[in-house]
Amino acid sequence: MYQAMVDIVLEAGKLLLSARNIQDSVSSKGLACDLVTAYDRAVQEQLCRELLAAYPQAGIYAEEEELCSIEGKDRYFIIDPIDGTANFVRGLHHSCISVGLCEKGEIVAACVYNPYADELFTAVKGRGAYLNGQQIHVTDTDLEHSMVLFGSAIYYRDTVPATLRFVEELFPKVLDFRRGGSAALDLCYLAAGKADLFFECCLRPWDYAAGSLIVTEAGGMVSALDGSPLRFYDRCSVAAGNRGNFSALIQLSQAIAQEGDMKGRIK
Ligand code: IPD
Ligand code: CA
Ligand code: CA
């Protein structure tokens, strides 16, 4: 049903693999750590052009230039042309293209592609989540044995103390941590059972739109860190895991949010 969307994302993956002299096209979007390259723009342009040709009624909400044409649209694509741009710039081959289709405020189809490992994650609402065509499931690992992926919400410096509080509280309670640099891949790896728990104190919809459906279709749970539904029009924190470790994370998060100096720091 969404094969055209998948084919378009796979095709865009070739652009990432063909990238040369990436350093020459890097510029900052404000903060020194907030980078964009000619490839982010080129991938976004190609995705938008081809998705609109295949789905002419759809709108677009995409990261670069905060492209937003969703007014009056029943459904729209939420696009991160390269999730993991800092990795891309440094030649750390851990980045992906992420496209989610939003209908009436929920994600109904998702595609995340990591061209370096040729990993294609897909999901359609109600039909399960897949990695290269094989159905995937979250683990049932308890908190104590959980491998935790997290993001440091680097573009939102006011969230740094909250991120550190989560790490401080979780450190003695879990197996270990990883910080990979792509929230979309973090969510997909959790969905595929390669990790067990994820959190980040502030993300934008294109970081988690596709990954969130892939997690829920893999049997996992995902929400904002206060337990409320994810917002697909605004910045939002993200928590994801299996039924058990997810509820432990939400309880911890609600306790941290009560601490005086944490107020307003978890988006
Ligand atoms: C970033 C990555 C990173 C996360 C940041 C995101 P970008 O996206 O997903 O893992 O920690 O918060 O903004 O900038 O590489 O598209
Ligand atoms: Ca991103
Ligand atoms: Ca990006």
Side-chain angles (χ1 to χ4, degrees):
M1 189 176 172
Y2 297 100
Q3 191 55 45
M5 164 175 145
V6 173
D7 292 343
I8 288 164
V9 171
L10 283 173
E11 193 58 32
K14 293 181 186 163
L15 255 179
L16 263 69
L17 294 181
S18 73
R20 298 287 177 273
N21 304 321
I22 299 169
Q23 296 284 348
D24 296 346
S25 75
V26 181
S27 54
S28 156
K29 291 195 265 184
L31 286 175
C33 60
D34 196 357
L35 304 176
V36 61
T37 71
Y39 290 96
D40 296 76
R41 297 199 179 97
V43 171
Q44 180 165 311
E45 267 167 42
Q46 179 170 320
L47 289 171
C48 292
R49 189 175 60 246
E50 294 185 0
L51 286 168
L52 288 178
Y55 305 92
Q57 312 300 333
I60 298 277
Y61 184 30
E63 177 179 14
E64 303 312 335
E65 321 295 339
E66 298 214 14
L67 182 67
C68 187
S69 59
I70 61 175
E71 190 89 2
K73 301 288 184 186
D74 291 337
R75 55 185 197 157
Y76 56 91
F77 292 102
I78 305 181
I79 299 174
D80 196 333
I82 303 181
D83 188 55
T85 294
N87 289 347
F88 178 68
V89 166
R90 285 157 186 260
L92 283 166
H93 287 170
H94 184 80
S95 310
C96 64
I97 295 165
S98 176
V99 177
L101 180 61
C102 187
E103 240 178 58
K104 299 191 180 91
E106 62 172 5
I107 308 301
V108 296
C111 182
V112 172
Y113 183 50
N114 171 4
Y116 301 106
D118 195 22
E119 291 170 325
L120 173 69
F121 297 89
T122 52
V124 173
K125 193 165 170 48
R127 298 204 203 152
Y130 296 83
L131 164 55
N132 293 340
Q134 299 289 314
Q135 192 159 13
I136 51 175
H137 302 280
V138 296
T139 65
D140 58 4
T141 306
D142 62 11
L143 187 68
E144 192 187 344
H145 299 95
S146 285
M147 173 70 82
V148 183
L149 306 181
F150 77 107
S152 40
I154 42 164
Y155 309 138
Y156 305 97
R157 296 290 175 176
D158 56 326
T159 62
V160 170
T163 302
L164 297 179
R165 279 293 291 130
F166 277 100
V167 174
E168 183 183 26
E169 281 296 319
L170 284 169
F171 214 102
K173 300 188 175 78
V174 303
L175 191 71
D176 204 352
F177 286 88
R178 298 285 183 274
R179 197 289 191 247
S182 163
L185 284 180
D186 287 345
L187 290 168
C188 289
Y189 288 157
L190 185 147
K194 296 172 194 277
D196 310 295
L197 194 62
F198 170 79
F199 73 90
E200 186 154 358
C201 290
C202 186
L203 284 167
R204 302 294 299 274
W206 39 77
D207 299 313
Y208 54 79
S212 64
L213 180 68
I214 292 167
V215 167
T216 54
E217 286 300 318
M221 312 278 291
V222 61
S223 73
L225 272 162
D226 64 0
S228 65
L230 290 177
R231 300 181 292 272
F232 294 110
Y233 52 87
D234 195 5
R235 62 181 68 174
C236 192
S237 59
V238 177
N242 62 47
R243 197 164 287 280
N245 65 10
F246 171 82
S247 63
L249 175 60
I250 297 298
Q251 271 178 30
L252 173 68
S253 168
Q254 288 169 345
I256 290 176
Q258 292 306 311
E259 297 171 7
D261 51 350
M262 290 299 141
K263 295 256 185 305
R265 292 193 190 266
I266 306 167
K267 304 294 178 192

